[in-house]
Amino acid sequence: MDRRKFLRNAGLGGLAAGGLAAPALAQEAPKVTWRLTSSFPKSLDTIYGAAEVLSQRISEATDGNFTIQCFPAGELVPGLQAADEVSAGNIEACHTVGYYYWGKDPTWAVAAAVPFSLSARGINAWHYHGGGIDLYNEFLADKNIFALPGGNTGVQMGGWFRKEINTVEDLKGLKFRVGGFAGKVLEKLGVVPQQIAGGDIYPSLEKGTIDGAEWVGPYDDEKLGFYKVAPYYYYPGWWEGGPTVHFMFGKAAYEGLPKNYQSLLRSICQGVDADMLQKYDYKNPTAIKSLVANGTQLRPFSPEILSACFDAANEVYVDMEATNPAFAKIWQSIKAFRSENYTWAQIAEYNYDTFMMMQQNAGKL
């Protein structure tokens, strides 16, 4: 027998019978099309743009087989109803912040941002290594939602005001746009909180319907033009020390994905989560200088105001922990890590940053 002829024929026969084997990814990459509604306007390229980054990366990783079409706030549903649509099964995904839904149950907010919680680094450490993702999804399970962190702005600014805020007395009667249940804390100090979607803040400030408003920080706030109608820009935003924006997926939709798609989604969401913070850290320094050049008056909240707010927040937490077991379970987990986190943060990071800031102020950088 001609050995080479035999091998050649055997090889051809194998190919003819079974064809070339398809790559594993192609075999496990069914066509999936989702819609995602955002709570943010398209003009905010950092925060709305995170959903577009998710969409692009998941499509690239699956050769276009898994597509997520993104819609800005108001195009499908109002921004503050995004999670409701996912929960109802009307849409597969949304990009939103849990504290928008705190009125249903304050537990919605605690894994996103609550007053005097963790920094961005701290909350991410808790989410990914302290069980935070699992704890939040335990709460969301009966709401047909599976959530993953999908962005962080870093500590936010304290907002824009039409007049100076120097004392706790100045807060009384103040109509202030503030997200989440930070408003519940501020109510204790006489503030009248207003929950208004991002696109409606400017006209409300311009008309004097509200006296002040917080949004995010310099880069986004400059885009929205708040400095034109409210000159005093306060810091820090103590209610959002490290706010997590979440991708929320319909639980059934997520669980119906192939395992490789689920793994891709988790990995890409974590990348998008980091990417948003990096963008803000890069863009905010230039934006704050631009705002000041255009007449913005930077003001720190006084120690009196911060202390009063901290005490008021703790009063609120005591009540919530006593009456809401789901809230208590997550908040107690965060509190336990918060103590450890700030012990470490004040040793190396704080001292290095403080020294470098002193060098900058001395003109040496």
Side-chain angles (χ1 to χ4, degrees):
M1 179 181 289
D2 186 328
R3 183 170 177 272
R4 283 181 292 183
K5 184 177 179 181
F6 172 78
L7 290 174
R8 183 170 66 248
N9 290 340
L12 289 171
L15 288 176
L20 289 170
L25 183 60
Q27 293 175 345
E28 300 172 8
K31 292 285 186 181
V32 175
T33 302
W34 280 5
R35 293 179 303 161
L36 179 151
T37 185
S38 175
S39 287
F40 314 105
K42 197 167 186 175
S43 59
L44 299 179
D45 59 299
T46 43
I47 195 163
Y48 172 79
E52 294 183 318
V53 173
L54 171 72
S55 174
Q56 177 186 350
R57 291 183 181 178
I58 201 74
S59 178
E60 290 173 350
T62 61
D63 291 329
N65 286 306
F66 187 179
T67 60
I68 300 176
Q69 187 177 5
C70 302
F71 297 88
E75 194 163 314
L76 291 182
V77 294
L80 301 183
Q81 296 175 20
D84 299 331
E85 289 297 294
V86 174
S87 181
N90 297 330
I91 195 167
E92 292 82 10
C94 70
H95 192 223
T96 190
V97 188
Y99 56 54
Y100 288 156
Y101 315 98
W102 79 276
K104 302 173 184 294
D105 184 327
T107 312
W108 278 92
V110 71
V114 293
F116 302 104
S117 183
L118 289 156
S119 66
R121 282 184 61 173
I123 199 71
N124 274 329
W126 175 76
H127 277 307
Y128 292 105
H129 298 283
I133 292 174
D134 291 339
L135 283 171
Y136 199 38
N137 280 311
E138 181 182 312
F139 165 71
L140 294 172
D142 65 356
K143 298 161 185 61
N144 187 38
I145 287 176
F146 175 78
L148 293 169
N152 200 299
T153 66
V155 60
Q156 295 192 359
M157 292 291 282
W160 300 86
F161 295 84
R162 293 160 62 90
K163 65 176 185 178
E164 290 190 79
I165 308 297
N166 296 313
T167 67
V168 173
E169 190 67 26
D170 292 333
L171 296 173
K172 292 183 178 177
L174 193 80
K175 290 176 290 184
F176 184 50
R177 184 273 174 195
V178 59
F181 72 81
K184 190 172 183 67
V185 173
L186 286 165
E187 271 185 321
K188 286 182 166 286
L189 302 174
V191 172
V192 183
Q194 313 284 314
Q195 186 146 307
I196 302 172
D200 299 324
I201 297 174
Y202 183 94
S204 298
L205 271 174
E206 185 178 36
K207 294 173 185 175
T209 306
I210 55 176
D211 304 306
E214 60 82 33
W215 180 238
V216 176
Y219 181 71
D220 286 345
D221 291 5
E222 184 178 35
K223 278 178 168 287
L224 295 176
F226 299 145
Y227 65 94
K228 299 174 185 176
V229 289
Y232 299 104
Y233 200 19
Y234 276 80
Y235 60 89
W238 44 266
W239 47 87
E240 295 185 78
T244 298
V245 187
H246 276 90
F247 287 115
M248 296 186 181
F249 309 109
K251 192 168 180 287
Y254 175 79
E255 291 177 349
L257 291 174
K259 293 297 183 185
N260 62 323
Y261 277 14
Q262 291 181 7
S263 181
L264 274 172
L265 200 58
R266 289 193 300 269
S267 297
I268 291 171
C269 284
Q270 188 167 4
V272 174
D273 185 26
D275 184 61
M276 184 191 290
L277 183 59
Q278 291 155 8
K279 284 178 181 173
Y280 276 114
D281 283 345
Y282 187 77
K283 292 175 180 290
N284 278 333
T286 301
I288 194 67
K289 289 190 289 186
S290 174
L291 285 168
V292 170
N294 280 302
T296 295
Q297 302 294 308
L298 286 177
R299 297 285 189 274
F301 283 127
S302 68
E304 175 200 354
I305 289 175
L306 288 175
S307 293
C309 291
F310 182 78
D311 292 342
N314 285 330
E315 291 174 11
V316 170
Y317 294 142
V318 168
D319 291 341
M320 288 184 178
E321 287 181 274
T323 59
N324 188 323
F327 178 93
K329 186 173 184 178
I330 299 179
W331 180 233
Q332 286 166 11
S333 175
I334 290 176
K335 282 196 300 180
F337 178 63
R338 183 179 61 174
S339 176
E340 299 296 322
N341 179 66
Y342 282 112
T343 296
W344 163 237
Q346 67 185 296
I347 296 171
E349 202 82 29
Y350 172 80
N351 282 283
Y352 177 77
D353 284 348
T354 300
F355 175 78
M356 293 301 291
M357 291 170 192
M358 291 169 64
Q359 305 318 298
Q360 181 190 42
N361 291 339
K364 296 181 180 181
L365 296 187

